[in-house]
Amino acid sequence: MSDLTRKTAVELSELMVSKQASSVEVTQAHLDRIGAVDGSVKAFLHVDTEGALAQAAAVDAKRAAGEKLGPLAGVPLALKDVLTQEGVPTTAGSKILEGWKPPYDSTVVKRLKAAGIVILGKTNMDEFAMGSSTENSAYGTTHNPWDLARIPGGSGGGSSAAISAYEAPLAIGTDTGGSIRQPGAFTGTVGVKPTYGGTSRYGLIALASSLDTPGPCARTTLDAALLHEVIAGWDPLDSTSINQDVPPVVAAARNGDVSGLRIGVVKELGGEGYQPGVEARFHEAVELLTKLGAEVVEVSCPHFQYALPAYYLILPSEASSNLAKFDAMRYGLRVGDDGTNSAEKVTSLSREAGFGDEVKRRIILGTHALSSGYYDAYYGQAQKVRTLIAQDFTKAYEQVDVLVSPATPTTAFAIGDRIDDPIAMYKNDLCTIPSNLAGNAAASFPCGLADEDGLPVGFHVMAPVMRDDLLYTVGAALESALAEQWGGVLMTKAPELEVTR
Amino acid sequence: MPSITREEVAHLARLARIELSDAELDHLAPQLDQIITLVGQVSQVAADDIPPTSHALPLTNVMREDENVPCLTPEQALSGAPAAEAQRFRVPRILEED
């Protein structure tokens, strides 16, 4: 049989339904692939070989017994290490959680298991999801399968690299400022940030609670939609979960008809600071959508230029509060408990030893922004800017159905290039951050390779709250039109990784 | 004049319970100065009469029936503890000696 790791989730499901392959075979093929290439990609922090094969065998047994199974039953998946999975090490890329095995499943994991999806292991990420390259992980950097000398994006670089390296057909990421979409763009894959509240945060180790959103990563639009449907929907364990039906994402991905759809190109997300090859592919994609019947206009969102500074006040403020729970008392690293140090001293020593530079920078920044005397000028003002950004979206959606932009100003950069320049690193997320602040749905779809460096470019689509289906409509239309030009999805152009054992 | 001094960073680190070394202070203080200059751009926006948004979507209070549901066992709850004793978290002393 041809290589199982090259199949989409939909194709794998068809093979299993028609009994041409078992889930154990599919899972083993991906475990073998991880063994062969992860030494150079380093997408995984933990591979749960036994657990994955046991889950796969259980799905095979259910299928043999004639039980009715979901469309993704038996398909393997890579899970970002920020979501708890009972009994499986969960670190969020931090030394402070090294060796921690959570005693409970996150809601996302519960739903994956209920759908019969096989969890292969936990993927690398920037520590506590703070970063855009995975270079802030305490466990080393993930490498971009398109060019191993480059970063895969972040924070969910491990999840996107895993699907781009054919180590898994599906992955879960979390998006606080672009951590699903930016790595998707950098690895030539699909990354979707659902509407805030559309997917549950229960069991997601919180970075910024008003922004964090789990979502699907895949190599095709339809695979992403099927995974989206599995994890989305109301959860009583998350007080900000939306109690409404999941938007019809799978139907939209199957249909992909953009005729008559009104698309707004955001004027402010382009021009200076944007790589020419990124802009070229983006504008070609817009033209293609026009040919497919979409009505394209330019739209201005004047406050988007302040999204980055507002975000770097709101996020650190929430993070400094969320990360206060790492106090070395109930779980995680404890340092300096020698019988003489006080609890407060042990907390301070443990946090010093357990947190990396970026986490320290953001905790201190957040502490500053929330301190009396600065609160109104920083955090309070940032919240007002957040209102203005949400109003820009509302006004734009009076004219158009979706907004579009490049997903990132540049393609993937070299490992080490921006690690000691926080501001250059932050600017990766210029296009993705506004949707987190406003809570609307957004996604990145592959739209070609930049001429300068031959690296993937992401096409960013932003849809109104709970209109996640529109993302998939645009993504599916673009994907099939581009696949016609290329003779397959963008990933088929990726270089072959050297196999080592 | 920097937007934040080395001494202020040291003070904030103490408030945040992070025992920064001198070398880290030398490294982080100038970076934080740059970042605070960046984020300070929010003050350029005229927003006096704009209401603040703490959350992307309208929040409503969520209520539920007060019912017993399964929860963690003491063993599970203590499974990640750095130190446990007599089915409790053991912590360093919390009072100063004097």
Side-chain angles (χ1 to χ4, degrees), chain A residues 214-230:
Chain A
C217 313
R219 291 191 294 266
T220 69
T221 303
L222 181 55
D223 280 4
L226 288 164
L227 182 56
H228 188 133
E229 196 170 65
V230 166

Side-chain angles (χ1 to χ4, degrees), chain A residues 95-100 325-339 341-355, chain B residues 78 80-85 88-94:
Chain A
K95 251 190 232 167
I96 212 160
L97 280 177
E98 191 165 11
W100 183 56
K325 66 176 165 279
F326 297 104
D327 59 3
M329 297 301 135
R330 292 149 301 154
Y331 60 121
L333 182 73
R334 180 183 288 184
V335 169
D337 185 10
D338 59 3
N341 285 327
S342 67
E344 194 177 313
K345 181 82 174 172
V346 167
T347 297
S348 299
L349 290 169
S350 301
R351 287 161 68 82
E352 162 63 11
F355 289 146
Chain B
L78 289 166
E85 204 177 294
R88 288 168 174 82
F89 295 99
R90 193 189 67 71
V91 301
R93 65 182 171 79
I94 52 170

Side-chain angles (χ1 to χ4, degrees), chain A residues 437-454:
Chain A
L437 291 173
N440 58 269
S444 174
F445 300 98
C447 68
L449 304 176
D451 298 322
E452 305 87 0
D453 49 27

Side-chain angles (χ1 to χ4, degrees), chain A residues 340 343 345 352 360-361 387, chain B residues 19 24 31 42 51 53 93:
Chain A
T340 64
K345 181 82 174 172
E352 162 63 11
K360 288 172 182 169
R361 274 192 285 266
T387 306
Chain B
E19 189 105 351
E24 281 182 302
Q31 287 179 341
V42 293
T53 297
R93 65 182 171 79

